[in-house]
Amino acid sequence: MKYLVIDDSKLARLSLIKSLKAHIDNAEIFQAVNGEEAVTIVKNEKPNIAFLDLTMPIMDGYTALPLMLDSNPKLKVIVVSADVQEQAKKRVINLGAQLHVQKPINTDKMQDILEII
Amino acid sequence: MQDLSLTEDEQDVLQELMNIAYGNATAVVADMLEAFATLSIPQIKIMKTADLISEFQEKKEISYFFSSQAFSGEFNGETAFFIDEESANNLSTHLELESPEDLDDAILELTNVLTSSLTTKLAQEMETQITFSPPSITKLALNQIQEVDTFKHYSQVIVIETQLDFQEQKINGEIYILTKDGSIQWLKKQLNAILEALI
């Protein structure tokens, strides 16, 4: 399986990758620091699952999400965000995300995510 | 005065913790106002208080409501919230307030909810505890900012500047977290410990 972790924060990416590796051996993990990079990686590397932050410079998660799904409709996108407003959750689900999960991700939360998807 | 500037990694960690804390605080305020806010990326820097005051004075044409709330603990200081007069009036309209006293009360409650949610979550992420004093409010033009007592207590400040932005209601504000040198040193130690645990 190929995974893509998209977040402008190094801390957030490291934390999420550590949680992911705790559950999955030999995961092939790509990283992007904004939505624009993510769209390119989705097109070129065809990841299966993407963890997407919303508030990022250059291109935010709301803009990137439909572009990523246009490029690969089978991609499963989990939005990982500090924005826990109900409207934000509804908006990303309407845009095609599988889940909206509150930051930060730890190993327990990652286990729940992987079971759901 | 010690140089307490943040390294790139420390800045990244603090920015992410602040993002989490601010997202949490915004959701609480959005519920309170029954509105939806756009989140912005927090801008973080450590600067001399005198330089911060100079920045404020560049905005001197605008009249602001300034409210602040002190917090204490291992990490201690004061949060400052600025809301311009136009936003304050829009808040008044949105909440159907009837008097200037009601508006002061609403801004104080907004400050209390916003800054206590923000700093509580930030402290939780840094595995420490803080307590709060009641918030206070002043209406001033920013060229009078040097007269505000809050700023006289701090030589250097961590400026965590972010926007509270309710676009539909045209309400926006700016939040600052002011801390003293001892807290900045404690904060740097915590940020490095958090990062080292991941590497």
Side-chain angles (χ1 to χ4, degrees):
Chain A
M1 292 276 270
K2 290 182 177 179
Y3 298 85
L4 171 58
V5 177
I6 309 138
D7 202 303
D8 56 319
S9 164
K10 180 179 166 186
L11 171 70
R13 294 195 308 275
L14 283 175
S15 174
L16 200 149
I17 289 168
K18 188 179 180 187
S19 302
L20 189 57
K21 284 181 173 173
H23 294 287
I24 297 177
D25 294 328
N26 305 319
E28 192 175 353
I29 302 171
F30 299 91
Q31 297 184 48
V33 299
N34 60 56
E36 196 173 87
E37 275 189 25
V39 172
T40 304
I41 293 173
V42 168
K43 191 175 171 186
N44 295 338
E45 304 294 342
K46 306 273 186 291
N48 306 92
I49 296 171
F51 296 92
L52 174 67
D53 183 27
L54 291 177
T55 311
M56 293 182 288
I58 301 175
M59 183 188 286
D60 66 18
Y62 292 114
T63 310
L65 177 53
L67 297 175
M68 289 160 63
L69 291 173
D70 279 352
S71 181
N72 177 10
K74 289 182 180 173
L75 176 69
K76 290 182 177 176
V77 180
I78 294 95
V79 168
V80 182
S81 175
D83 190 346
V84 287
Q85 297 174 95
E86 278 307 313
Q87 284 196 45
K89 292 180 188 174
K90 284 180 190 164
R91 189 173 165 196
V92 296
I93 297 300
N94 287 338
L95 285 171
Q98 301 275 315
L99 282 175
H100 177 292
V101 186
Q102 183 176 5
K103 278 185 171 183
I105 296 282
N106 56 27
T107 50
D108 289 345
K109 216 182 258 185
M110 180 59 80
Q111 184 171 1
D112 293 342
I113 293 168
L114 294 171
E115 281 172 8
I116 291 169
I117 61 166
Chain B
M1 192 188 300
Q2 285 181 274
D3 176 16
L4 295 168
S5 57
L6 296 173
T7 64
E8 194 178 327
D9 278 347
E10 288 166 352
Q11 185 144 342
D12 177 88
V13 176
L14 182 56
Q15 188 153 311
E16 182 59 10
L17 297 183
M18 187 63 197
N19 184 30
I20 291 167
Y22 182 61
N24 210 61
T26 304
V28 175
V29 176
D31 276 351
M32 176 182 156
L33 299 181
E34 297 182 335
F36 177 69
T38 305
L39 268 66
S40 61
I41 299 170
Q43 301 299 314
I44 294 175
K45 55 192 169 186
I46 290 180
M47 61 195 298
K48 291 176 189 164
T49 309
D51 294 339
L52 177 64
I53 288 173
S54 297
E55 275 192 14
F56 284 145
Q57 287 175 326
E58 287 171 17
K59 301 177 185 177
K60 62 186 175 188
E61 300 303 322
I62 307 168
S63 180
Y64 276 78
F65 287 86
F66 165 78
S67 52
S68 65
Q69 184 170 32
F71 57 95
S72 52
E74 284 178 302
F75 181 54
N76 57 72
E78 199 156 341
T79 48
F81 178 59
F82 288 89
I83 181 167
D84 65 54
E85 197 162 15
E86 187 184 346
S87 284
N89 290 335
N90 291 338
L91 175 69
S92 178
T93 305
H94 179 66
L95 295 176
E96 298 176 354
L97 303 177
E98 290 174 351
S99 71
E101 290 76 24
D102 286 350
L103 179 58
D104 280 2
D105 181 69
I107 293 172
L108 280 173
E109 184 56 15
L110 181 68
T111 303
N112 189 26
V113 170
L114 181 67
T115 60
S116 59
S117 305
L118 183 74
T119 36
T120 299
K121 187 70 179 171
L122 190 61
Q124 191 185 333
E125 291 298 321
M126 293 191 295
E127 298 183 346
T128 191
Q129 293 199 343
I130 52 176
T131 52
F132 297 97
S133 303
S136 62
I137 189 166
T138 315
K139 188 183 176 197
L140 76 171
L142 284 184
N143 59 356
Q144 298 165 335
I145 195 81
Q146 72 276 13
E147 291 163 24
V148 175
D149 281 345
T150 296
F151 294 98
K152 293 176 184 166
H153 303 312
Y154 303 94
S155 55
Q156 293 181 102
V157 292
I158 302 176
V159 178
I160 302 174
E161 184 181 354
T162 192
Q163 294 272 331
L164 178 74
D165 187 8
F166 289 94
Q167 287 178 333
E168 195 177 316
Q169 291 76 20
K170 296 192 171 76
I171 299 168
N172 64 73
E174 289 173 13
I175 305 156
Y176 296 84
I177 296 180
L178 312 171
T179 60
K180 295 180 184 173
D181 289 6
S183 261
I184 298 175
Q185 283 171 327
W186 179 87
L187 180 70
K188 282 168 73 73
K189 198 172 149 192
Q190 289 299 107
L191 297 175
N192 283 301
I194 289 169
L195 195 58
E196 278 162 21
L198 288 171
I199 296 174

